[in-house]
Amino acid sequence: MTDTPPTEDPRRRGTQRADSLVLVNTGDGKGKSSAAFGVMLRSVALGWPVAVLQFIKSGEWKVGEEKVGRQLGVEWYSLGEGFTWDSTNLDHDKEVAQRAWKTAADTISAGKHRLVILDELTYLCTWGWIDTAEVVETLRNRPDDVNVIITGRDCPQEIVDIADTVTEMRKIKHAYDRGVTAKKGIEY
């Protein structure tokens, strides 16, 4: 960035439209899911059918974005078992994750939704709970008009490589660092 506004058009010449895109929001900063839910609202406003699949949050979480999404007709699946540090049986959680991925793969392959958000999917790949190669294959073979957003820290390189757009959220500072817990209405 410079101190002066640009005077030349920065847009690339010869651009083309894509039938669909794969986007990744990753990194250690906040806002990965929030950015995806912003796109969710944009898509709903265009009349697109949208599905959100959450891989960590369970149905017990009552989050604002789910409430609004459901009111707007978004198909919402909270498929996880919650935070792993609260788990009493990680093997069970892994089985749940594998079933959740099957639901996600079927949702993508069905082609019913123009946007599918795979919230916190990266963790399941990083932990080895689901096969990253299978995720990549599903993304590559998705129907032409199905856009996918994947969120979560430490996105596997194989997914980064096939994604069209990858954004890394970088933490500069966070209230949690000074002992402030997550704030309802801001972080959930």
Side-chain angles (χ1 to χ4, degrees), residues 32-179:
K32 296 176 285 292
S33 297
S34 297
F37 298 141
V39 176
M40 174 192 78
L41 291 174
R42 181 178 294 148
S43 300
V44 168
L46 290 172
W48 288 10
V50 176
V52 173
L53 296 97
Q54 294 186 297
F55 294 93
I56 301 296
K57 292 181 180 79
S58 71
E60 294 177 18
W61 283 60
K62 302 298 178 213
V63 294
E65 56 269 21
E66 178 180 357
K67 180 179 179 182
V68 169
R70 286 185 184 278
Q71 289 172 354
L72 295 173
V74 172
E75 285 187 36
W76 204 283
Y77 304 89
S78 297
L79 303 170
E81 289 290 307
F83 297 122
T84 53
W85 52 85
D86 291 331
S87 179
T88 59
N89 187 344
L90 287 178
D91 288 332
H92 169 74
D93 295 353
K94 181 178 179 179
E95 291 170 11
V96 169
Q98 291 168 349
R99 286 193 302 270
W101 168 246
K102 170 114 175 60
T103 300
D106 290 348
T107 300
I108 292 167
S109 298
K112 177 181 164 190
H113 303 89
R114 293 281 311 272
L115 176 65
V116 177
I117 297 174
L118 305 176
D119 189 36
E120 299 177 329
L121 175 74
T122 62
Y123 304 107
L124 307 186
C125 296
T126 303
W127 299 335
W129 287 8
I130 63 172
D131 183 4
T132 300
E134 187 178 321
V135 172
V136 168
E137 190 67 22
T138 299
L139 295 172
R140 278 194 176 128
N141 294 322
R142 72 190 187 281
D144 289 341
D145 65 345
V146 176
N147 300 275
V148 179
I149 303 176
I150 298 165
T151 71
R153 295 175 186 238
D154 304 315
C155 186
Q157 189 63 47
E158 300 90 334
I159 295 173
V160 168
D161 289 345
I162 65 150
D164 297 289
T165 301
V166 179
T167 301
E168 182 178 15
M169 276 54 166
R170 184 172 60 94
K171 181 179 85 164
I172 304 293
K173 179 180 179 181
H174 193 284
Y176 186 77
D177 296 339
R178 59 184 179 89

Side-chain angles (χ1 to χ4, degrees), residues 18-38:
D19 292 329
S20 67
L21 299 172
V22 173
L23 290 78
V24 172
N25 297 338
T26 193
D28 67 350
K30 300 300 284 180
K32 296 176 285 292
S33 297
S34 297
F37 298 141

Side-chain angles (χ1 to χ4, degrees), residues 2-6:
T2 65
D3 294 341
T4 58

